[in-house]
Amino acid sequence: MELVAEGLRRPLLVAAPRNDARRFIVLQGGQVVVLREDGLIDDQPFLDISDEVNDNGIEQGLLGWAFHPDFDTNGRVFAYYSISTDDTRLSEFSAPPDGPVDPSTERILLEIAQPTVRHNAGMLEFGPDGYLYVGVGEGGAASENAQNPDTLLGSILRIDVDDGSPYGIPADNPFVAGDAPEVWAIGLRNPWRFAIDPAIGTMYVADVGHSDWEEINVVELAPVGHDFGWLSMEGAHCFQSGCDPEGLVLPVVEYSHAEGCSVTGGFVYRGVAIPELDGHYFYSDWCTGFLRSFRYVDGEVVDATDWTEELGSPGQVTSFGLDADGELHVTTWGGDVYKLVPVRE
């Protein structure tokens, strides 16, 4: 665990466009800063929308960030953030290759009414199909929102940002005939976070539990209308009496609140520096700060490993991230960013 940045204000993600040596660190307050190849942070943020971002609560702020797959030629970036009304907004910005982004280039794609200031999720990631996937929590009201495909809450959205106005709806979205055609999957409480592994066409979804269980799910990137079970199920367990798990996505990994309180999802390692970890999905917990991984092979969890004793806990893990080479980074509430590096004899 190599410390690569410190003293930042609540970093929530590390990202990089392809073939770019820079690492972009998303800060909850509304900035994206650049960690240069020489290990220094640029004096000027790449993006600063702190005047627009509401980060009053622990679960609000600039929550998601993604580069368009063709960023190197079109300069398009996407942000998901809380606004002054406590609702959330998905926007597109135009960025020159070296930044900074002019906030006036913002094009608002979507605003989502939030019942409370909690469970707003926020992960953004482009799939190998070229569509943008958006993680949305159920809004913190423990309501039936998550089981309602006609609302955007408690779901993962799938939209086409290269077509339509302000975006297009993929024709094979599973709920395309309903009132919320953007919805790709339902039944989520607060997916913090999901990760797409294009190597095998799967999505890993870490969903924060309520009373007793934290869970990680793995599904195919297929438009079949995945239902992750909340509010009926918490993990693989009934949350409501008389629940029926038939047809629901059940977790491949879960752990009880004796081990933690809030899962923090990471990424599948596909880097080159540590080939021994190829295919390992890493995750942590907000309360206990452990660092764990597993591989998912032919529908089974294998090589489950707890790295905490060997590497130590970095603290309260807010998120993970990848650089352009696929190397894994960890962000913490205390303001540190770490990179997983090999130590060889």
Side-chain angles (χ1 to χ4, degrees):
M1 296 275 285
E2 178 182 81
L3 183 67
V4 295
E6 59 185 331
L8 300 173
R9 187 174 181 267
R10 304 200 300 270
L12 293 187
L13 190 69
V14 176
R18 60 188 179 188
N19 302 320
D20 196 317
R22 298 170 296 175
R23 287 164 285 183
F24 296 76
I25 304 173
V26 177
L27 306 184
Q28 187 177 10
Q31 293 184 335
V32 177
V33 298
V34 177
L35 179 61
R36 301 195 309 253
E37 193 172 7
D38 61 9
L40 298 178
I41 299 285
D42 276 352
D43 292 335
Q44 186 174 30
F46 185 76
L47 173 73
D48 189 350
I49 53 171
S50 52
D51 290 342
E52 298 293 325
V53 171
N54 176 4
D55 68 335
N56 289 332
I58 193 173
E59 298 184 34
Q60 295 179 296
L62 178 54
L63 304 175
W65 174 264
F67 292 95
H68 190 280
D70 297 323
F71 170 79
D72 57 340
T73 58
N74 65 25
R76 299 170 68 190
V77 295
F78 298 83
Y80 178 94
Y81 63 94
S82 307
I83 59 179
S84 59
T85 60
D86 292 329
D87 297 331
T88 51
R89 174 183 291 169
L90 173 66
S91 288
E92 175 184 337
F93 296 85
S94 296
D98 296 325
V101 177
D102 182 352
S104 70
T105 65
E106 180 176 22
R107 186 170 73 96
I108 298 173
L109 303 182
L110 180 65
E111 289 189 354
I112 301 174
Q114 296 290 345
T116 76
V117 299
R118 301 176 63 235
H119 304 174
N120 297 158
M123 185 62 184
L124 303 178
E125 190 168 2
F126 280 91
D129 52 14
Y131 297 136
L132 180 63
Y133 291 76
V134 184
V136 184
E138 45 84 282
S143 68
E144 297 294 340
N145 290 325
Q147 283 299 315
N148 182 1
D150 289 327
T151 176
L152 301 179
L153 298 171
S155 66
I156 294 175
L157 314 181
R158 178 179 182 246
I159 62 175
D160 183 356
V161 298
D162 295 323
D163 191 22
S165 179
Y167 53 80
I169 304 295
D172 59 351
N173 270 11
F175 305 104
V176 70
D179 292 337
E182 298 93 341
V183 173
W184 178 77
I186 65 172
L188 291 162
R189 184 172 181 266
N190 193 37
W192 189 263
R193 301 183 170 264
F194 67 78
I196 294 171
D197 182 12
I200 55 176
T202 52
M203 177 185 285
Y204 292 68
V205 183
D207 198 21
V208 177
H210 177 78
S211 298
D212 300 301
W213 297 97
E214 303 298 308
E215 65 181 273
I216 296 170
N217 310 270
V218 183
V219 295
E220 293 184 0
L221 279 179
V224 298
H226 299 296
D227 184 346
F228 293 93
W230 178 256
L231 173 75
S232 175
M233 306 277 293
E234 183 185 33
H237 311 269
C238 282
F239 185 76
Q240 293 179 318
S241 60
C243 77
D244 183 2
E246 183 69 25
L248 301 179
V249 176
L250 298 181
V252 301
V253 167
E254 64 177 2
Y255 62 91
S256 78
H257 282 186
E259 300 177 66
C261 75
S262 180
V263 66
T264 299
F267 291 87
V268 178
Y269 182 83
R270 297 292 183 189
V272 297
I274 318 175
E276 299 90 338
L277 294 182
D278 184 64
H280 274 261
Y281 170 80
F282 282 80
Y283 65 102
S284 185
D285 183 88
W286 164 257
C287 289
T288 54
F290 61 64
L291 189 66
R292 296 176 180 175
S293 73
F294 64 86
R295 293 193 302 124
Y296 191 69
V297 180
D298 297 329
E300 300 290 336
V301 171
V302 298
D303 299 334
T305 306
D306 191 326
W307 302 93
T308 315
E309 183 176 349
E310 181 177 354
L311 298 179
S313 172
Q316 288 182 288
V317 175
T318 56
S319 193
F320 291 77
L322 300 175
D323 63 19
D325 295 324
E327 301 303 330
L328 189 72
H329 292 66
V330 182
T331 63
T332 71
W333 185 255
D336 296 334
V337 179
Y338 296 88
K339 179 183 178 181
L340 204 63
V341 298
V343 177
R344 305 191 184 279
E345 297 179 356

